[in-house]
Amino acid sequence: MSFSIQEIAANAVQARVRIRHHIYQTPLIPARQIGHDNDAKVLFKAENFQFTGSFKVRGALSKLSSPTAQTRLITASSGNHGIGAAFASAVLSKELTVVLPKTVLQAKLEKIKSFNVEVILHGTETGQAEQHAQQLAASGSYTYISPYNDAEIIAGQATIGLEILEQLDEIDNVFISMGGGGLLSGIGSVLKTLRPQTKVYGISATNSKALAASIAAGHVIETYHLPTLAEAVAGGIDEDTITLALASSVLDHIIECDEAEILKAVKALATQENIIAEGSAALALAGFNKVANKLTGQTSVIILCGGNVEHDFISRVVCSD
């Protein structure tokens, strides 16, 4: 089944009504230093300040509050979607199992377990965890919830776009990290429907770029997945994912960033902006940094998608050369 960006935008309005009492409308924070050297106005949409530490709770609440989520549920995640889904299951009294790769960050694993959901560890990257959850659902014991390949999940993420348009009169560019494509498809659908002149940049980690490579190929392809600081956006995508068509229709530019560029962006957020963000959030800033010299006089919003980091991660980054 395919969806138009107009349908996603309309669904976002409905999703917002369902989830607004369970989420935090995150601030749009003007940068203190970043962008100033290029005379570019930069603002951070701080989903790292969301109740669960990432935007993923929006999509999870949207899905779990919908009529289609009535039976025993199972989902898969690299961590942040699992946290959001576990939180949603707790506040909405839903039974949930979360499948995670064995490489999940300990801090994210502990947070998921704190909501008393069943946890299964399987595989070494998110795509393998997703495939295992889908196999378990195929047995008939569960209803599977994709972390990105679901219109109601995407509509929840799209509520970020609605908030941005209320918080900011003019927006020239938005920079969004690319994983499975739910965040990109959601925000992009709202902006291209309501503010079509806004340029949408999708930022992909070189070490794990399934969606970017699939968009370039015009169909879903397999890619190698190497370790990345942006682990929350790592892993493969479903062959039938609706995000491929949606992302392709809203994207103006794709930028790839390597590990050194992501690390530099994490450090810049901490030292220049006093913002703690995980690698997947810093990835969006890394993409902005690569084109900042072309954006003089423009207003850009950088989506900080999450801030769930290990306790010593930021200290190591700040002290690095």
Side-chain angles (χ1 to χ4, degrees), residues 125 127 148 178-181 204-225 233-238 241 243-244 254 256:
E125 53 97 358
Y148 56 89
M178 296 171 62
S204 179
T206 301
N207 279 9
S208 190
K209 55 181 182 180
L211 182 57
S214 297
I215 291 171
H219 59 89
V220 173
I221 63 173
E222 291 288 335
T223 60
Y224 290 108
H225 300 285
V233 296
I237 54 177
D238 295 341
T241 182
T243 58
L244 179 58
I254 295 177
E256 284 188 21

Side-chain angles (χ1 to χ4, degrees), residues 11-264:
N11 289 345
V13 176
Q14 299 171 10
R16 194 179 190 192
V17 174
R18 298 199 306 273
I19 74 174
R20 67 190 314 160
H21 296 299
H22 299 298
I23 65 166
Y24 175 44
Q25 178 168 309
T26 52
L28 197 59
I29 303 173
R32 295 167 49 169
Q33 296 185 46
I34 291 171
H36 290 195
D37 290 345
N38 300 101
D39 194 26
K41 181 179 180 181
V42 173
L43 300 101
F44 300 107
K45 182 59 172 167
E47 285 295 297
N48 54 315
F49 293 157
Q50 191 56 259
F51 288 136
T52 57
S54 92
F55 75 96
K56 287 285 192 176
V57 69
R58 295 174 182 262
L61 282 165
S62 174
K63 180 63 178 180
L64 268 66
S65 63
S66 71
T68 59
Q70 296 301 320
T71 57
R72 190 180 181 193
L73 307 171
I74 189 168
T75 194
S77 172
S78 62
N80 282 339
H81 169 72
I83 297 170
F87 172 86
S89 72
V91 300
L92 299 174
S93 300
K94 304 280 186 175
E95 189 174 358
L96 177 70
T97 296
V98 181
V99 183
L100 302 160
K102 296 176 182 178
T103 53
V104 63
L105 294 180
Q106 189 65 30
K108 294 183 178 182
L109 177 60
E110 291 174 359
K111 189 168 289 189
I112 292 168
K113 287 183 174 180
S114 72
F115 293 106
N116 297 316
V117 298
E118 180 184 14
V119 171
I120 297 173
L121 299 179
H122 182 89
T124 58
E125 53 97 358
T126 311
Q128 294 172 353
E130 289 176 12
Q131 291 172 4
H132 187 63
Q134 291 166 354
Q135 291 168 0
L136 292 175
S139 70
S141 300
Y142 304 90
T143 296
Y144 177 66
I145 296 176
S146 171
Y148 56 89
N149 187 17
D150 186 295
E152 289 163 334
I153 291 282
I154 296 171
Q157 323 305 24
T159 61
I160 297 171
L162 297 176
E163 289 182 13
I164 291 172
L165 292 181
E166 291 175 355
Q167 293 169 314
L168 189 63
D169 292 332
E170 296 184 8
I171 171 174
D172 296 303
N173 314 290
V174 62
F175 290 79
I176 308 170
S177 299
M178 296 171 62
L183 181 64
L184 175 63
S185 297
I187 295 176
S189 292
V190 167
L191 293 179
K192 288 302 185 182
T193 298
L194 302 177
R195 198 74 61 84
Q197 68 272 27
T198 300
K199 302 298 183 185
V200 175
Y201 288 77
I203 318 302
S204 179
T206 301
N207 279 9
S208 190
K209 55 181 182 180
L211 182 57
S214 297
I215 291 171
H219 59 89
V220 173
I221 63 173
E222 291 288 335
T223 60
Y224 290 108
H225 300 285
L226 300 174
T228 175
L229 290 170
E231 45 78 30
V233 296
I237 54 177
D238 295 341
E239 287 189 11
D240 64 346
T241 182
I242 61 176
T243 58
L244 179 58
L246 286 168
S248 297
S249 66
V250 303
L251 271 169
D252 293 288
H253 305 282
I254 295 177
I255 300 173
E256 284 188 21
C257 295
D258 62 27
E259 294 304 292
E261 290 165 333
I262 298 170
L263 181 66
K264 181 179 178 181

